[in-house]
Amino acid sequence: MKDQLQALADEAREAIAKAQTPQDLEAVRVSFLGRKAGRLKSIMASLGTVPAEERPAVGQLAQAVQREIEELLTAKAGQVSDAPPPEKKAKRAAARPAAEADRLDVTLPGRAPHVGARHPMLATMDELIAIFLGLGYKVAEGPEVENHYYAWQALNYPDEHPAMDEQMTFYLNNGLLLRSQTSTMQIRTMEVEPPPVAYIVPGRTYRRDRVDATHHHTFYQLEGFKVAKGITFGDLKGTLIAFARALFGEKMNVRLRPDFFPFTEPSAEFAVTCTLCWGEGCRTCSGSGWMEVGGCGVIDENVLRNVGYDPEEVSGFAFGFGIDRFAMLRHQIDDIRLLWNGDMRFLRQF
Ligand code: DAH
């Protein structure tokens, strides 16, 4: 019987070592120590067959075996309890740094979202557009890459005319060029729409200018033109004054001085009251009290003919100016390059 108990202990040790889950251990416990049908119980059932003088020793051995099995079960229980299989354990360990990083610390101050703002150039452009929409103009846009006809010829520039030199631009290999003025759109618009027309054309223009505080190779212009029966130079001046006052207030005035442009006759240079000194004369306006912003004039009859209009029937005026210039006046910006270099320290101020 002692041999049976020793064998039972060996088997139990092995079974407990193999057990992987709490369920396995419970099965081992029931099988070896179960009170009703446990194997230890069934061995002890035949204690009566053991000679009386050996019984205490056998009893002690049985108790020792039972205690050992119980201890082994308890020890093993600590290892298998809810422990995931080894490979899962490894995955969990690997996921831990990410989980730590993702953990939400509700005590941290919030992160304010960065709210953007419109670029001062485009905001100014929208302001100008709104004024002209109010005066009954429509908005047109057109190509920045142009050909010789729209850039010069249709605008009444004779071939080789030096007026083109004032607007040296970028030429592409195929004879096309980047437009140096939005006046090109006078032609493209009137070509496809009969009079009366009243349009503004905001858009990018290019010139091979040396970049400095007031010049940039890329800039924005706003062109405007109106053609109908009986339009005169007086309508032009009234329109420019209405525009300048809508933008800067009633103190504004407009000065027109003779100039030359191939596509207008007569032509004028267009200046507005200096918004820094209001006409007193200051450093910015070189003491004149005026700031030159663009050109204008009565549309040349040749231009009207080029787009199929009859100069005996209709007449019109046109004007064009740099939007950058107005953006700078509006926000007291002293260097045009700030409008183009994307410096966030500058842009965040708007
Ligand atoms: N396109 C001219 C320039 O860029 C400005 C200009 C002058 C536009 C006279 C006009 C105009 O429409 O009539 O220098």
Side-chain angles (χ1 to χ4, degrees), residues 167 180-181 183 186 207 221 223-224 261 263-264 295-297 318-320:
Q167 301 198 3
S180 59
Q181 53 186 353
S183 306
Q186 291 185 28
R207 284 189 201 175
Q221 280 195 341
E223 189 82 9
F261 298 100
F263 41 94
T264 41
C296 60
F319 56 86

Side-chain angles (χ1 to χ4, degrees), residues 124-154:
T124 304
M125 185 194 285
D126 284 349
E127 255 182 287
L128 305 185
I129 291 172
I131 292 171
F132 282 105
L133 287 177
L135 291 172
Y137 287 70
K138 291 195 277 186
V139 180
E141 281 183 306
E144 291 171 22
V145 177
E146 273 296 6
N147 60 29
H148 182 79
Y149 178 75
Y150 289 105
W152 314 118
Q153 204 179 332

Side-chain angles (χ1 to χ4, degrees), residues 142 199 210 241 303 325 343:
Y199 273 97
R210 195 177 294 278
I241 289 174
V303 171
R325 190 61 71 82
D343 188 333

Side-chain angles (χ1 to χ4, degrees), residues 42 70 100 114 129 140 155 165 190 211 235 242 257 292 311 330:
S42 51
E70 280 170 351
E100 291 283 318
H114 178 66
I129 291 172
L155 283 167
D165 296 346
M190 291 192 279
V211 173
D235 296 311
R257 291 202 302 192
E292 289 165 22
R330 194 123 194 74

Side-chain angles (χ1 to χ4, degrees), residues 155 157 166-167 180-184 186 205 207 219 221-225 236 259-269 293-300 317-322:
L155 283 167
Y157 284 80
E166 273 179 20
Q167 301 198 3
S180 59
Q181 53 186 353
T182 43
S183 306
T184 53
Q186 291 185 28
T205 45
R207 284 189 201 175
F219 53 106
Q221 280 195 341
L222 188 105
E223 189 82 9
F225 53 94
L236 168 63
D259 201 345
F260 172 79
F261 298 100
F263 41 94
T264 41
E265 181 62 35
S267 303
E269 159 219 291
V293 287
C296 60
V298 171
I299 298 179
D300 195 287
F317 62 74
F319 56 86
F321 50 76

Side-chain angles (χ1 to χ4, degrees), residues 30-315:
V30 170
S31 150
F32 287 88
L33 306 180
R35 275 198 212 142
K36 282 185 190 155
R39 291 172 56 186
L40 184 61
K41 180 94 183 170
S42 51
I43 291 171
M44 293 310 283
S46 45
L47 190 62
T49 65
V50 174
E53 64 277 12
E54 288 180 26
R55 276 181 211 160
V58 172
Q60 276 174 11
L61 180 60
Q63 273 181 11
V65 168
Q66 176 166 357
R67 210 178 305 125
E68 186 192 345
I69 294 174
E70 280 170 351
E71 280 170 10
L72 286 175
L73 284 170
T74 309
K76 183 79 182 197
Q79 296 169 28
V80 299
S81 68
D82 280 338
E87 74 281 14
K88 263 198 193 163
K89 231 184 195 173
K91 266 193 207 156
R92 255 198 221 175
R96 199 164 301 137
E100 291 283 318
D102 284 348
R103 197 195 291 154
L104 183 65
D105 181 351
V106 294
T107 65
L108 281 175
R111 228 173 276 155
H114 178 66
V115 180
R118 275 185 320 165
H119 192 280
M121 175 85 84
L122 294 182
T124 304
M125 185 194 285
D126 284 349
E127 255 182 287
L128 305 185
I129 291 172
I131 292 171
F132 282 105
L133 287 177
L135 291 172
Y137 287 70
K138 291 195 277 186
V139 180
E141 281 183 306
E144 291 171 22
V145 177
E146 273 296 6
N147 60 29
H148 182 79
Y149 178 75
Y150 289 105
W152 314 118
Q153 204 179 332
L155 283 167
N156 201 35
Y157 284 80
D159 280 347
E160 312 295 331
H161 195 279
M164 285 181 279
D165 296 346
E166 273 179 20
Q167 301 198 3
M168 289 275 273
T169 182
F170 300 93
Y171 285 84
L172 311 181
N173 289 333
N174 51 13
L176 299 178
L177 54 91
L178 299 185
R179 68 179 178 194
S180 59
Q181 53 186 353
T182 43
S183 306
T184 53
M185 281 301 291
Q186 291 185 28
I187 308 301
R188 287 186 176 277
T189 310
M190 291 192 279
E191 240 177 17
V192 295
E193 189 171 324
V197 289
Y199 273 97
I200 50 165
V201 184
R204 271 190 198 200
T205 45
Y206 304 84
R207 284 189 201 175
R208 241 162 57 200
D209 281 342
R210 195 177 294 278
V211 173
D212 61 24
T214 54
H215 295 86
H216 204 266
H217 49 72
T218 306
F219 53 106
Y220 277 92
Q221 280 195 341
L222 188 105
E223 189 82 9
F225 53 94
K226 181 168 192 157
V227 180
K229 269 192 168 64
I231 295 288
T232 69
F233 197 92
D235 296 311
L236 168 63
K237 184 157 189 183
T239 301
L240 294 177
I241 289 174
F243 157 70
R245 292 190 178 159
L247 190 60
F248 290 114
E250 290 303 310
K251 279 197 276 180
M252 262 290 159
N253 235 321
V254 166
R255 182 189 69 183
L256 298 176
R257 291 202 302 192
D259 201 345
F260 172 79
F261 298 100
F263 41 94
T264 41
E265 181 62 35
S267 303
E269 159 219 291
F270 151 40
V272 297
T273 309
C274 175
T275 54
L276 290 174
C277 64
W278 293 105
E280 293 286 308
C282 65
R283 237 178 34 186
T284 308
C285 61
S286 314
S288 73
W290 297 100
M291 291 195 291
E292 289 165 22
V293 287
C296 60
V298 171
I299 298 179
D300 195 287
E301 293 189 1
N302 286 338
V303 171
L304 295 180
R305 273 190 282 271
N306 287 342
V307 298
Y309 285 10
D310 180 357
E312 301 297 325
E313 279 288 310
V314 291
S315 56

